[in-house]
Amino acid sequence: MQVKKDIIELMVIEKNTDLRLFSTMRLGGKAKYSARIENKNDLIRAVNFAKENNLPIICVGKGSNIIWRDEGFNGLLIINEIKGIRFEDNGDHVLASSGSGEIWDDLVTKSVELNLSGIESLALIPGTTGATPVQNVGAYGQEVSDTISEIEMFDLQNGQFVTIKTEDCDFGYRTSRFKKQDKNRFIIINVNFKLSKDYPNLPLYPAVQNYLDDNDIKVISPSVVRNAVIAIRSAKLPDPAEVANNGSFFSNPVIDESDFIEIQKKYEDIVYWQTSDGKYKLSAAWLIDKAGFSNFEDEETGMATWPTQSLVIVNRSANSTKSLLNFRDKIFSKVESLFGIKLEQEPELLP
Ligand SMILES: Cc1cc2nc3c(=O)[nH]c(=O)nc-3n(C[C@H](O)[C@H](O)[C@H](O)COP(=O)(O)OP(=O)(O)OC[C@H]3O[C@@H](n4cnc5c(N)ncnc54)[C@H](O)[C@@H]3O)c2cc1C
């Protein structure tokens, strides 16, 4: 019989880890091995273990943007728990330095408590600080790329620790080099944010400003904005600690003007935004509602759309990723047959 855990010096390598614990959708198979890392030494030991056993590596935070395949992962799952938050006053701004395994919302809360602005609109986004650069996390008019100054990481390609500046991250809308050309190359261990001592930049994102107007709030501080964002998000989105979900499951499709005109002829009430490069971004939630999936409970798969936000798929009673993908495909194909538009999935299907 095999022993369940191998101790490599101080770090524990676990076998047959249940991947459902590392996806907020709570689905998926098992990882062959996993290791929790709390510092650079743990990281080196884990990487060496993977090398010696010829295993691929995937590093995760809280799994809020991940779906695991039912087949599982035949490699080493690195679970990032590198902690430590430090603030350093640099005169006209404050540098917030965060271990990548810190809970992102804790960093937002601490920054706002110090009356600093720059990340207050990103309150309540689930997951760890180290995952935020990967998809350039954003909400309510802010993105982490606006404030990130430096990222310290381990390069799996050459076994070195490196520090890079924000301009080297190739940040874009919900993307970065960590998601594209350098996917799985780096393990992020620390992120620095340059936060402002001034009050939040105006104008605020319309939904936040509307909330403040509705509640007759006139003085705008980081904490006022954070509280508004928390109220808006809580009313709209399920808490992954209570309801299994990955947040927005679909991204808003962007199409050319000629295609947009054709669709608008048929659907005058289509919800869209014009982009700066002359394209049209359509509301995926509107497309999904129109396709008949508003507040939809699918008995066959055990999946559903969230009553107040159709972009969010929730797992009511499914016990396989196959069921989730089956439900996703029903939405994909109905939207495509009605509008000729292929929706894209936001959370990453791994491995
Ligand atoms: C209810 C809900 C609401 C959400 N709202 C938003 C939102 O408003 N805006 C938004 O942008 N996102 C949103 N998300 C998505 C999610 O919260 C973010 O993508 C978050 O940054 C994921 O953090 P995590 O620690 O859970 O990362 P994970 O899901 O564990 O990992 C995500 C990706 O990052 C990689 N990764 C994680 N840690 C590291 C590391 N240390 N080094 C290298 N790679 C790493 C993983 O391999 C994976 O590719 C939401 C999700 C949920 C469930």
Side-chain angles (χ1 to χ4, degrees), residues 108 112 120-121 123-124 208 211-212 217 221-234:
V108 175
V112 166
E120 63 282 357
S121 298
L124 227 55
V208 176
Y211 176 89
L212 299 182
I217 300 170
S221 66
S223 122
V224 160
V225 173
R226 172 177 172 266
N227 290 341
V229 167
I230 289 174
I232 298 167
R233 290 183 74 98
S234 306

Side-chain angles (χ1 to χ4, degrees), residues 326-344:
N326 187 345
F327 182 54
R328 172 202 70 181
D329 290 346
K330 289 183 190 187
I331 297 178
F332 272 171
S333 65
K334 194 72 195 293
V335 167
E336 189 170 4
S337 71
L338 271 183
F339 305 102
I341 286 174
K342 283 188 199 312
L343 284 179
E344 276 182 26

Side-chain angles (χ1 to χ4, degrees), residues 139-277:
Y140 300 100
Q142 285 180 347
E143 291 183 326
V144 286
S145 57
D146 302 334
T147 42
I148 286 178
S149 57
E150 271 183 356
I151 301 179
E152 190 188 356
M153 52 203 194
F154 183 77
D155 186 345
L156 290 165
Q157 235 167 51
N158 60 19
Q160 307 276 323
F161 286 97
V162 283
T163 298
I164 61 162
K165 303 242 177 258
T166 185
E167 52 270 30
D168 299 319
C169 294
D170 200 9
F171 282 127
Y173 178 71
R174 297 294 170 278
T175 192
S176 72
R177 68 186 286 185
F178 311 112
K179 221 178 150 176
K180 297 184 293 187
Q181 65 268 36
D182 287 322
K183 192 169 159 40
N184 288 336
R185 174 174 166 188
F186 297 108
I187 294 183
I188 295 169
I189 54 174
N190 198 83
V191 189
N192 285 352
F193 298 85
K194 196 174 162 182
L195 302 179
S196 170
K197 294 179 182 177
D198 296 332
Y199 270 13
N201 285 336
L202 299 176
L204 295 175
Y205 194 79
V208 176
Q209 187 61 57
N210 290 344
Y211 176 89
L212 299 182
D213 292 345
D214 289 350
N215 289 281
D216 205 20
I217 300 170
K218 302 252 174 346
V219 180
I220 294 160
S221 66
S223 122
V224 160
V225 173
R226 172 177 172 266
N227 290 341
V229 167
I230 289 174
I232 298 167
R233 290 183 74 98
S234 306
K236 218 168 62 171
L237 295 170
D239 176 354
E242 288 165 15
V243 183
N245 79 95
N246 279 122
S248 295
F249 197 87
F250 303 97
S251 38
N252 290 324
V254 178
I255 60 172
D256 291 331
E257 188 175 21
S258 53
D259 295 331
F260 174 74
I261 289 169
E262 284 311 305
I263 297 176
Q264 203 189 28
K265 273 186 202 157
K266 248 172 117 182
Y267 302 97
E268 281 178 9
D269 56 338
I270 189 160
V271 177
Y272 67 96
W273 305 268
Q274 259 184 291
T275 63
S276 52
D277 56 354

Side-chain angles (χ1 to χ4, degrees), residues 59 61-65 126 128 131 135 137-138 186 188 233 246-247 348:
C59 175
K62 296 293 171 194
S64 354
N65 214 22
T128 53
Q135 73 149 357
V137 155
F186 297 108
I188 295 169
R233 290 183 74 98
N246 279 122
E348 199 178 347

